[in-house]
Amino acid sequence: MKNITIYDIAKEAEVSVSTVSRVLNNTAPVKASTKDTIMKVIEKYKFQPNALARSLIKKETGTIAMIVPDMTNPFFPEVFWGSENEGREKGYTFFLCNSAGEYSRESEYLSILLERRVEGLIFIGGRINLADCPPELIREVTEAAEAIPVVLVNGNLSKGSLHRVYTDEAAGAALAAQHLIDLGHKEIAFVGGLDYMTTTMQKVKAVKKKLKEHGLSLRSDWVHYGEFSITAGRELMNRLLNGEQRPTAVICVNDFTAIGAMKAAIERGLKIPEDLSIVGFDDSPLSTAVIPELTTVTQNAYELGRLAVERIYQIIHGKPAKRSTVLQPELVIRQSTGRAPQKNGD
Amino acid sequence: MKNITIYDIAKEAEVSVSTVSRVLNNTAPVKASTKDTIMKVIEKYKFQPNALARSLIKKETGTIAMIVPDMTNPFFPEVFWGSENEGREKGYTFFLCNSAGEYSRESEYLSILLERRVEGLIFIGGRINLADCPPELIREVTEAAEAIPVVLVNGNLSKGSLHRVYTDEAAGAALAAQHLIDLGHKEIAFVGGLDYMTTTMQKVKAVKKKLKEHGLSLRSDWVHYGEFSITAGRELMNRLLNGEQRPTAVICVNDFTAIGAMKAAIERGLKIPEDLSIVGFDDSPLSTAVIPELTTVTQNAYELGRLAVERIYQIIHGKPAKRSTVLQPELVIRQSTGRAPQKNGD
């Protein structure tokens, strides 16, 4: 499995390495007969010009990396797909790095990716969603951003000094709350998400604000924080339903927890949406897989991924790149929300 | 954003490039005071020794690539996760390449990845699942395998000459059929999957064989081929239910089509499993997200990914690497299958 190098080609073609290089990279004219000889040797050995060698000269690696917290949540593969399609046309190949939400793993990947000289880095989830990120974790990212273009997706760090593309999650949560209020709901709960993550707290804050505009409030015993998984959604919903009073509608931090919440409610014999309306967040493929289909908020996952690569490309090529790009979410009304039930006392 | 190179370090430390290289790579002893000076300059500029330069010397890139057909199907992210965890400990970073099932895109990625000198390639889906793969598409993969270790996951090409790790899908389909027969089902259908893909035909064949062992047969009008998506599952199930007679149980090619099939059945007012039993394939996270939870066949996605990297590592390091590794699938009985309904005629 010996790798043929440019030196082997040059030796067999009886020319200098720089002549072979000129043919491979089309950097200067080479006599036709010489070129012919070289090409024959190249074909004979099926020689692949070494991208590493070329990139060392050009200082380009043609690689972009994405750090994600959890590829089993279908939101992230969709962001990746948007990035890959946009980058592929521009000649980029993508490293994918799962942090599993562990900050130490994020740090490890940041260091490895810089060493691999990736030309850009897309960062989603993990530390960039911390409401109060420790300075040393921030520093690692800002230092990376001094070396290469870094774009944060749906997060923030370092007071907005880094490039960001994000969906206005607060606006999305407000849309969900408004939808429920329009359906006559007054008793609305919030389920899922860790309370130290901005992706959770922005939504809770927006729901509170929207309710207040309508003279309503979010009862503290109707807010249940936890992980972002189906299992967590189920547990948190059970905790909510074990309470003395139950709400008529629940807004969940994402589709995963919404599906878990639906399962818990149905297992207790509740009908959705007749007894209880449920709203998710993300509009992942899961939302149409369940019965009833989930009313949710679309995050434009594909477009977020695409825009992140567009920004990296603009920065690399010295073009004007918007520091911050916000996408407006949309409410997707399906089957899991309906008119508030008429209650006879409680 | 100028990148500091080893040349800059050497210049400022007033030593030769090879001395800096010796310090960085620990390849030969360097006088303590000189080393000290060099390290100070390295720290001053936060110089990251260039992985590209090192890998050119060592002829190692520390990268492995995975080509997958569809990252929105949760089976594939789980395979990736198994590979990444296994490879990360060994110092590998992973390229992820979505082919979207297009052979031209697979070809493009094969060529790009060879040029990037990845140290190993994991190939899942697409052409390696074709029952009758065109020779030129086979050749691209066998040629790649001459340059670097290639491992096929759940597929085959070139009469088994390539390294493979796979789940015995036929055995899995036989388990599903046996389970339904044990529940008293005699009228069993098959839904989903393209008929020119081995992943489909192996299952159909195994179901037929198992039924035959029990004196039953698979009616040709109860086999509906198509894509592997939720949407396809729904359409194909509707087609099946539009027939004159309906079966009492359906085996689906994967979880996606099974979920689509469940939706179609429930929309028509059928109860699962009382009126109709449904079995999926893959045991993806989706299978517990739906109501009723899906009886399915586990493919050991994580372990497949892990083993693929183990093989690549063995091949790279000249250790004995099994050419072919087969995992035994397991049936996971959940809520979507039950006893065959008692029929009063039809």
Side-chain angles (χ1 to χ4, degrees):
Chain A
M1 236 164 43
K2 177 185 185 300
N3 281 337
I4 296 292
T5 68
I6 192 168
Y7 300 97
D8 302 317
I9 302 293
K11 200 172 164 194
E12 179 146 346
E14 295 177 353
V15 297
S16 71
V17 169
S18 60
T19 307
V20 179
S21 170
R22 281 202 292 277
V23 170
L24 287 173
N25 298 305
N26 247 325
T27 43
V30 173
K31 203 166 71 172
S33 63
T34 310
K35 190 173 171 179
D36 218 47
T37 311
I38 293 170
M39 287 311 292
K40 272 182 192 148
V41 180
I42 285 173
E43 274 160 33
K44 177 177 166 193
Y45 292 106
K46 295 184 195 305
F47 173 67
Q48 292 263 2
N50 190 330
L52 293 181
R54 277 221 305 272
S55 60
L56 259 185
I57 297 158
K58 291 207 259 164
K59 299 214 172 189
E60 287 173 7
T61 58
T63 56
I64 292 175
M66 186 180 283
I67 297 180
V68 301
D70 176 15
M71 278 303 272
T72 66
N73 180 335
F75 173 71
F76 299 105
E78 214 182 319
V79 176
F80 184 84
W81 182 227
S83 288
E84 189 188 4
N85 269 338
E86 178 74 13
R88 180 173 151 264
E89 290 173 11
K90 298 182 157 66
Y92 290 100
T93 316
F94 285 78
F95 285 117
L96 177 64
C97 306
N98 279 293
S99 69
E102 290 170 26
Y103 309 128
S104 62
R105 236 173 128 141
E106 293 172 2
S107 303
E108 182 187 311
Y109 273 127
L110 277 170
S111 156
I112 288 171
L113 294 167
L114 283 178
E115 170 148 338
R116 293 203 183 288
R117 298 273 193 238
V118 295
E119 288 188 58
L121 173 68
I122 300 166
F123 204 128
I124 320 179
R127 70 182 67 179
I128 74 165
N129 287 131
L130 286 176
D132 195 12
C133 184
E136 64 274 21
L137 296 188
I138 297 177
R139 202 179 312 121
E140 288 175 353
V141 183
T142 53
E143 281 182 8
E146 283 165 24
I148 53 166
V150 172
V151 177
L152 311 182
V153 174
N154 274 5
N156 202 353
L157 264 190
S158 184
K159 294 173 187 160
S161 72
L162 298 163
H163 281 86
R164 302 168 62 202
V165 296
Y166 63 102
T167 302
D168 188 342
E169 296 182 279
L175 284 175
Q178 185 66 56
H179 169 59
L180 293 172
I181 292 166
D182 291 346
L183 287 168
H185 293 277
K186 290 180 166 57
E187 300 173 329
I188 297 172
F190 188 93
V191 157
L194 298 163
D195 61 357
Y196 51 81
M197 305 291 270
T198 51
T199 185
T200 311
M201 296 320 290
Q202 281 178 7
K203 288 169 190 162
V204 172
K205 218 171 131 186
V207 169
K208 278 186 180 164
K209 192 173 162 227
K210 180 55 74 184
L211 290 179
K212 203 176 169 191
E213 283 172 26
H214 292 267
L216 303 169
S217 63
L218 185 61
R219 286 169 50 160
S220 60
D221 60 329
W222 282 356
V223 179
H224 289 267
Y225 298 119
E227 293 288 339
F228 297 85
S229 64
I230 295 177
T231 312
R234 198 171 185 169
E235 283 171 14
L236 297 169
M237 189 65 168
N238 273 321
R239 216 178 293 167
L240 175 68
L241 295 176
N242 283 337
E244 275 184 32
Q245 286 187 296
R246 73 170 153 83
T248 62
V250 181
I251 297 173
C252 296
V253 75
N254 66 2
D255 286 350
F256 261 10
T257 51
I259 285 162
M262 283 214 311
K263 284 179 74 78
I266 292 172
E267 279 160 6
R268 284 169 176 250
L270 294 175
K271 280 195 177 139
I272 296 170
E274 293 81 356
D275 300 322
L276 192 67
S277 286
I278 294 183
V279 186
F281 215 99
D282 285 351
D283 194 24
S284 73
L286 286 177
S287 55
T288 52
V290 289
I291 298 171
E293 294 189 1
L294 192 63
T295 295
T296 184
V297 177
T298 176
Q299 284 240 52
N300 310 296
Y302 184 93
E303 181 65 5
L304 286 170
R306 199 194 65 72
L307 281 172
V309 170
E310 192 180 276
R311 286 299 160 278
I312 287 172
Y313 191 79
Q314 289 165 336
I315 302 168
I316 290 173
H317 292 86
K319 294 181 184 167
K322 275 179 74 177
R323 175 119 342 228
S324 178
T325 305
V326 56
L327 300 182
Q328 286 311 312
E330 277 177 44
L331 183 74
V332 185
I333 299 172
R334 296 204 178 92
Q335 301 164 338
S336 66
T337 48
R339 295 214 63 78
Q342 301 297 317
K343 288 203 171 182
N344 335 321
D346 215 354
Chain B
M1 235 162 48
K2 177 185 185 299
N3 280 338
I4 295 293
T5 68
I6 193 169
Y7 300 96
D8 303 316
I9 302 293
K11 200 173 164 193
E12 180 147 343
E14 294 177 351
V15 298
S16 71
V17 168
S18 60
T19 307
V20 179
S21 170
R22 281 202 292 277
V23 170
L24 286 173
N25 298 304
N26 247 326
T27 44
V30 172
K31 205 166 71 175
S33 62
T34 311
K35 190 173 173 181
D36 219 47
T37 311
I38 293 170
M39 286 313 292
K40 273 183 192 147
V41 179
I42 286 173
E43 274 159 33
K44 178 177 166 192
Y45 291 107
K46 293 184 195 308
F47 173 68
Q48 292 262 2
N50 190 327
L52 293 181
R54 278 221 306 272
S55 60
L56 259 184
I57 297 159
K58 291 207 260 164
K59 300 214 172 188
E60 288 174 7
T61 59
T63 56
I64 292 175
M66 186 182 281
I67 296 181
V68 302
D70 175 13
M71 278 303 270
T72 66
N73 180 336
F75 173 70
F76 300 105
E78 214 181 319
V79 177
F80 184 84
W81 181 227
S83 289
E84 189 189 3
N85 270 339
E86 179 73 12
R88 180 174 151 263
E89 291 174 10
K90 299 182 157 68
Y92 290 99
T93 315
F94 286 77
F95 285 117
L96 177 64
C97 306
N98 278 293
S99 69
E102 290 170 26
Y103 309 128
S104 61
R105 236 173 128 142
E106 292 172 2
S107 303
E108 182 188 312
Y109 273 128
L110 277 170
S111 157
I112 288 171
L113 293 167
L114 283 178
E115 170 148 336
R116 294 204 182 289
R117 298 272 194 237
V118 295
E119 289 188 58
L121 174 68
I122 301 165
F123 204 129
I124 319 180
R127 71 182 65 179
I128 74 165
N129 288 129
L130 286 176
D132 195 11
C133 184
E136 64 273 21
L137 296 188
I138 297 177
R139 203 178 312 120
E140 287 175 353
V141 182
T142 53
E143 281 182 8
E146 283 165 24
I148 52 166
V150 172
V151 177
L152 311 182
V153 174
N154 274 6
N156 202 353
L157 263 190
S158 182
K159 294 174 187 159
S161 73
L162 298 163
H163 281 87
R164 301 167 65 200
V165 295
Y166 63 101
T167 303
D168 187 340
E169 296 183 279
L175 284 176
Q178 185 66 56
H179 168 60
L180 294 172
I181 293 166
D182 292 344
L183 288 168
H185 293 276
K186 291 180 164 57
E187 300 173 330
I188 297 172
F190 188 94
V191 157
L194 298 162
D195 62 356
Y196 50 82
M197 305 291 270
T198 50
T199 186
T200 311
M201 296 320 291
Q202 280 179 4
K203 289 169 191 163
V204 172
K205 218 171 132 186
V207 170
K208 278 185 182 165
K209 191 172 163 229
K210 180 57 73 182
L211 291 179
K212 203 176 169 191
E213 283 173 25
H214 292 266
L216 303 169
S217 64
L218 184 61
R219 285 168 51 158
S220 62
D221 59 330
W222 282 357
V223 179
H224 290 268
Y225 297 119
E227 294 288 340
F228 296 85
S229 63
I230 295 176
T231 313
R234 199 171 185 170
E235 283 172 14
L236 296 170
M237 188 66 168
N238 273 321
R239 214 178 293 167
L240 175 67
L241 295 176
N242 283 338
E244 276 185 30
Q245 287 188 296
R246 74 172 151 82
T248 62
V250 180
I251 297 173
C252 296
V253 76
N254 66 2
D255 287 348
F256 262 9
T257 50
I259 285 163
M262 281 214 311
K263 285 179 73 79
I266 292 172
E267 279 160 6
R268 286 171 174 247
L270 294 176
K271 281 197 176 133
I272 297 170
E274 293 81 353
D275 299 323
L276 192 68
S277 286
I278 294 184
V279 186
F281 214 101
D282 285 352
D283 193 26
S284 74
L286 285 176
S287 55
T288 52
V290 289
I291 299 171
E293 295 190 359
L294 192 62
T295 295
T296 184
V297 176
T298 177
Q299 285 240 50
N300 310 296
Y302 184 94
E303 182 65 5
L304 286 171
R306 198 194 66 73
L307 281 172
V309 170
E310 191 179 278
R311 286 298 160 278
I312 287 172
Y313 191 80
Q314 289 165 336
I315 302 168
I316 289 173
H317 293 86
K319 294 180 184 167
K322 273 179 76 177
R323 174 111 354 220
S324 178
T325 306
V326 57
L327 300 181
Q328 286 311 312
E330 278 176 45
L331 183 73
V332 185
I333 300 172
R334 297 206 178 90
Q335 303 163 336
S336 66
T337 48
R339 294 213 63 80
Q342 301 299 317
K343 289 201 171 182
N344 336 321
D346 214 352

